[in-house]
Amino acid sequence: MSRTVGVREFRQDLADYIDQSEPVTVTRHGHTVGLFIPVRPDRKAEVGAYAEAVKKANALLAELGVDEDEVVAEFDTARKAKQKT
């Protein structure tokens, strides 16, 4: 079953609607203007993808002979230089 809300309420409470599992019908002046259907991500697949990305990043750092502290220091230097411009 779908809940029906006005566009202002939908915009105001969007974060709540994203966390719900049922669709939301959005109306403007009593006419349907859209339908929001929240999608539940596959958390296990997301975590697996992030873990694989970490492995690849660590392997690349090791291959380049760079550690995480060096990367963070370089990032901080670049950020500070950008702030000055």
Side-chain angles (χ1 to χ4, degrees):
M1 181 171 207
S2 174
R3 179 174 177 186
T4 301
V5 298
V7 70
R8 286 184 185 167
E9 179 183 345
F10 179 73
R11 197 173 33 219
Q12 177 182 335
D13 298 329
L14 180 58
D16 295 332
Y17 295 122
I18 288 172
D19 291 335
Q20 294 179 7
S21 59
E22 66 181 48
V24 178
T25 301
V26 183
T27 62
R28 179 183 288 146
H29 305 295
H31 296 9
T32 299
V33 294
L35 182 64
F36 174 74
I37 303 171
V39 177
R40 290 278 168 239
D42 181 352
R43 299 273 186 209
K44 195 173 190 176
E46 279 186 3
V47 170
Y50 287 131
E52 187 61 30
V54 168
K55 286 180 188 176
K56 289 180 181 180
N58 286 335
L60 181 59
L61 289 175
E63 181 180 314
L64 296 173
V66 178
D67 68 12
E68 295 164 356
D69 293 332
E70 291 174 278
V71 173
V72 171
E74 187 175 326
F75 175 79
D76 285 342
T77 301
R79 185 179 48 148
K80 288 175 185 175
K82 185 176 180 180
Q83 289 175 347
K84 289 181 182 180
T85 61

